[in-house]
Every structure is written in structure tokens, then in C-alpha cells.
Amino acid sequence: MSALHEHSITALAAALRARTCSARELTAHYLARIQDLDEHLNAYITVTAEQALAAAERADRQLAAGTAGPLAGIPIAHKDIFCTNGVKTSCGSRMLDTFVAPYDATVIERLQAAGVAMLGKTNMDEFAMGSSNETSYYGPVRNPWNLERVPGGSSGGSAAAVAAGLCAAATGTDTGGSIRQPAAFCGITGLKPTYGRCSRWGMIAFASSLDQAGVLAGSAADAALLLQAMAGFDERDSTSANEPVPDYRAQLEDDIAGLKIGLPKEYFGEGLDPGVAASVEAAIKEYEALGASVREISLPNAPLSVPVYYVVAPAECSSNLARFDGVRFGHRCEAPRDLEDLYKRSRAEGFGAEVKRRIMIGTYVLSAGYYDAYYLKAQQLRHLISDDFKRAFAQVDVIMGPTTPSTAFALGAKRDDPVAMYLNDIYTIATNLAGLPGVSIPVAPVDGLPVGLQLIGDVFQEGRLLNIAHRLQQATDWHRARPGVL
Ligand code: GLN
């Protein structure tokens, strides 16, 4: 048997059930890897070794008694944006550096009920704002494929941890690409479900109309197992969808012969690295070999998605982050002179530069006199972007293209140029604006760095997307490649 961390979750679950390996042994294996390797990556903000071992022992007892849940004893990590009862929940910010959540997010609660052992909380861009993990108060995460490169963001800690075998899978969140982009940069599978599919309750809000919880995993089949546990209606989240949860695992094996793939011409134009384009095209050829047909489509308003997003997301964040004022939540400055001084200094000290930039943009676009010109206009364009997808899905079953315009860039390369950083999400953001599901899967690398193929589906088609991704992963080995540097 190869090393435990090289196995899929399906294989690990089978080994645990057959008792050829105990949950305690498996968790201890991952904890030892974190101890040995995470100093090179900085993927974890908090490691919860004691709780992980206790959860593993509980899973072992349940496995022995035959009462175990579907993910009993599977060691996973959570992005530090999810509230975890009794455990520090920082959101990558100094603002919440000492915050210990008094309850579990719904997604955490559901995964816990399925039996997972939480290894710890992963590093992330501050309040999920970023595409490189460099805005984290806890320092950047490094890409396990090349330690001088970024892992992507904002779920960069989760992506690096999965790619390097420091957990079996991880949770993430995606507001404009934060699951799919780091999955692409780290050579793993990342799923952003339909808006409302997974509860946002207990997930620290960045932009509430865009935020969605999802999964970073070694394969589409592994992602399906986690999604099965996470998805579903939650009455505590008024935007959660009251839709039945299908059997994602059963759907994986569906036939894809006759699948109609649409390639948006806007996703293959100027700005796309030629190596990335070639890898994506080679993967699409594989789909044709599997019986799919391909046609060009157009999403004419997609090029507006970055400017629209950078009005809508900052507007929502300026409102959501008002609660971090040193009174209701968050860091409080020393010896305030009066209430105003307390607010100002607590926020000035607690937030980093990118978060402050977004709060200022958001406050500006919502202010009287500018609201109509920016916020209202952006909302109108958001409708047009969404309508483009409706028209496309009348013609095709799935949309495919690159997840990102390039492979992972060097640490520091875009740190001082916010617009260049924002353009990294040019292919992922439209999906969030339209509330649609998206998956990134690894295809042929370029110069030793991973490349992601993005699959976009119509609402609640995440099961179909995982099925389409799984079929490619059965026919090819791209998703099996793992970084060798560690
Ligand atoms: N990179 C985008 C941003 O900085 C998206 C982040 C996200 O999806 N959380 O806002």
C-alpha cells in the first residue's frame, strides 16, 4: 500500500471500514505530515491535533459498532472563515486574531455529523479578499509545486494543504473564484456549488449575494462525497435553497456521450497564456473522444464581470464588515480616548490594506450621488451577465474554458498592482454573479505548474458537473499528479 495520504477518500473510507487502518492512525499520519512540512507552506493557521485525535477515536468506536457516518475518520481541514466551536476563527485577519467562535457553522456541523476529523483551520486571504493568499495577516501560503509561487487565493491554505497531502480534503469559499482559482494553481479539484446550495450560516460574510461554501479535493469523486454531507437547506440561512439534495455519488457514473460543450469565445481571447490554452484544448479533445460535441458560444457581457464584481463585492463587504468595530466584534485598540477614537483606531489597526481599500470603494459606490452611477449600474449589468448564461444553457449542457489566464505567478509579482491581481479572476467571477456552479479540474501542466479546466453548469447542476469531471478523471491521469518538492 502506498502512503496513506496518496489515497482517495473513497479508498480511505473503505480501508477504515475494513479495519485495515484505524482512524487514529490515519489522523496521526496527517498530523505528522503537517508537523514536518507545513513550515514550508504556511497552509495552516491553527492545528487542532487534540480534537482531531479525539474525533478519530470516536470514529473508530463508531466504525467498530457499525454506527459510523459516511465520512467517519476522514481527516479534513477547514478554511479559517468557518466558525468552529471553541477554536480560533481568524478569517486571516488581525481583527479576529483572538476570536474563538462560540458555535459551529452549519457546514462544519454537517461534516462533523458525517464523522470527519478536523485537523485544523487553513490560511486564507484576509476576509477572503485576494487571489494569492498574500493579504493574510498570518503571512503568505506557498505553492507546493514551487515554493516561490503563490497558491492562489483566497482559499490558498486549503488548496496547498490538499495538494501537499496535509489533509484528505478541505473546505473553502468562493465569492469570485476563491475555490476554483487556487484549485487550478495547486493542481487539484475545486467545486463551487450553486449559490444557496450550502448554508452560509456561520461562514464569515464577505459579499453575501456571492459567497458560497464548497470543496477542495483530490478528485471529483472525493468532492462529491464531501458535497453530499455539506449540501442542503438550512432554515438559519434565509438564502439557502430549499431543494432536494441528489445522490451525487450515484450520478458520478452517468454516461456523458452526446454531451454538448460550449466554449465561450470571450474565454479564449487576448490575455490567455498560450500554454494554458493548449492544455485546456487538449482536455476538450479528450471529451470529444468520450463522445461529447463542442461548439463555440458567446457570453458577450462576460468581459464586464470584473468591473461589475469590484462594485458589488466591495459594496456588500463595506456593509458586512461594519460589525468589526472593536465593540460588537473584533480587535479593540489600547486606551481609547472616546468612542470615535475607539472605532477609528480599532479598525485602522485590525484591518489590512486590501480590506481597507475595499471598504472605501464600497462606501463610495453606495453613497448618495454615486449610488445610481455605480451600484445600480452594476446590478443592471449583473442581470445581463446572468442572461448570457441563460441563453447559453438553452444551447449547451456545460460551458468549458480555462479557470485562470496563467499558471501560478511568483510571490510578490502582483502584490502592489491591485488591478492586475483582480484580472486573475476574469474567467471565474461571472459564475458567481450569476449564482451558477463551477468546477476546476487539473489538466496537463505547463512548465511544471498545474493548469485548471473550468466547467460551468446551470443552476443545481453540480452533480452533473462532478459527473463530467469524474469521467475525464477516469480516462486520464492529470488529477493524480502531486508536487514532488516536499
Ligand atoms: N479574488 C477575488 C477577490 O479578491 C475573489 C475572492 C473570493 O472568491 N473570495 O475578491
Side-chain angles (χ1 to χ4, degrees):
M1 192 160 160
S2 48
L4 287 171
H5 59 273
E6 290 167 13
H7 290 274
S8 68
I9 293 181
T10 312
L12 291 174
L16 290 170
R17 260 158 234 277
R19 314 302 287 144
T20 52
C21 153
S22 73
R24 191 178 207 290
E25 191 187 334
L26 183 61
T27 296
H29 174 78
Y30 277 108
L31 289 171
R33 284 184 65 77
I34 295 169
Q35 176 102 50
D36 286 353
L37 301 171
D38 198 42
E39 61 179 302
H40 304 292
L41 296 176
N42 198 26
Y44 281 86
I45 292 174
T46 304
V47 179
T48 50
E50 255 173 60
Q51 284 109 310
L53 290 168
E57 283 164 13
R58 196 161 48 243
D60 277 328
R61 286 194 298 275
Q62 292 169 344
L63 284 157
T67 56
L71 294 172
I74 301 296
I76 73 167
H78 294 300
K79 184 176 183 178
D80 209 15
I81 198 168
F82 292 99
C83 286
T84 40
N85 192 9
V87 176
K88 167 168 156 171
T89 299
S90 74
C91 220
S93 182
R94 181 180 184 200
M95 188 53 98
L96 290 176
D97 184 43
T98 58
F99 176 63
V100 174
Y103 62 92
D104 282 321
T106 299
V107 158
I108 303 291
E109 204 176 80
R110 291 190 177 174
L111 285 165
Q112 225 94 288
V116 302
M118 173 177 85
L119 295 166
K121 308 289 295 289
T122 57
N123 203 345
M124 56 180 283
D125 279 301
E126 186 177 7
F127 284 100
M129 298 174 198
S131 305
S132 68
N133 231 290
E134 294 169 290
T135 71
S136 171
Y137 174 60
Y138 302 92
V141 176
R142 287 169 184 272
N143 189 317
W145 291 87
N146 178 333
L147 299 176
E148 301 310 314
R149 303 265 167 162
V150 303
S154 65
S155 311
S158 288
V162 172
L166 304 190
C167 57
T171 54
T173 60
D174 192 311
T175 304
S178 280
I179 289 176
R180 290 160 289 157
Q181 187 253 16
F185 280 8
C186 291
I188 58 167
T189 299
L191 163 71
K192 173 232 176 274
T194 308
Y195 181 75
R197 179 71 297 184
C198 296
S199 169
R200 290 187 300 111
W201 196 78
M203 191 173 108
I204 297 171
F206 161 12
S208 306
S209 77
L210 301 160
D211 297 343
Q212 175 58 210
V215 189
L216 296 110
S219 65
D222 281 1
L225 291 176
L226 261 81
L227 179 66
Q228 198 75 54
M230 290 162 65
F233 177 63
D234 178 9
E235 63 183 15
R236 294 176 295 194
D237 171 6
S238 60
T239 61
S240 133
N242 199 348
E243 284 281 321
V245 178
D247 185 344
Y248 296 117
R249 197 167 168 189
Q251 241 179 305
L252 285 175
E253 305 299 332
D254 286 356
D255 199 0
I256 62 161
L259 182 76
K260 286 189 267 182
I261 299 175
L263 305 180
K265 63 170 193 263
E266 294 79 7
Y267 282 28
F268 289 88
E270 205 190 320
L272 176 61
D273 175 88
V276 170
S279 289
V280 165
E281 281 155 15
I284 290 163
K285 286 261 173 313
E286 288 288 335
Y287 274 113
E288 289 184 286
L290 292 170
S293 65
V294 172
R295 73 165 77 162
E296 189 183 90
I297 59 162
S298 178
L299 301 170
N301 294 293
L304 296 174
S305 58
V306 171
V308 167
Y309 174 90
Y310 279 98
V311 171
V312 173
E316 294 186 20
C317 109
S318 71
S319 162
N320 274 325
L321 271 57
R323 68 182 64 124
F324 302 105
D325 58 7
V327 177
R328 286 170 296 172
F329 281 102
H331 168 80
R332 182 180 293 191
C333 67
E334 292 284 337
R337 280 191 310 280
D338 52 30
L339 188 60
E340 194 172 319
D341 182 48
L342 182 148
Y343 286 149
K344 282 186 177 163
R345 277 202 292 128
S346 298
R347 284 169 70 83
E349 291 167 9
F351 289 137
E354 183 60 27
V355 173
K356 286 178 187 156
R357 180 179 297 127
R358 307 258 183 133
I359 292 172
M360 286 192 285
I361 297 171
T363 308
Y364 180 81
V365 301
L366 289 176
S367 55
Y370 296 105
Y371 181 92
D372 289 351
Y374 294 104
Y375 186 72
L376 190 64
K377 184 58 99 189
Q379 292 292 16
Q380 288 163 341
L381 292 172
R382 186 175 181 177
H383 271 281
L384 296 181
I385 292 167
S386 200
D387 288 346
D388 284 355
F389 282 107
K390 285 199 187 101
R391 267 190 296 276
F393 286 121
Q395 303 171 49
V396 297
D397 303 314
V398 61
I399 294 172
M400 292 192 192
T403 308
T404 57
S406 71
T407 54
F409 46 89
L411 280 157
K414 297 183 201 272
R415 201 162 23 207
D416 301 322
D417 186 348
V419 175
M421 189 70 91
Y422 297 169
L423 285 171
N424 225 270
D425 297 314
I426 190 146
Y427 305 133
T428 49
I429 280 181
T431 317
N432 299 73
L433 291 168
L436 301 174
V439 173
S440 180
I441 54 175
V443 292
V446 172
D447 298 331
L449 290 171
V451 172
L453 169 73
Q454 184 177 207
L455 283 56
I456 302 170
D458 206 350
V459 278
F460 298 111
Q461 292 295 305
E462 39 279 304
R464 182 69 170 148
L465 290 184
L466 291 170
N467 155 233
I468 297 166
H470 177 67
R471 285 298 190 179
L472 187 75
Q473 293 182 339
Q474 281 178 319
T476 60
D477 276 332
W478 291 316
H479 68 293
R480 286 187 219 285
R482 286 291 171 267
V485 284
L486 297 172

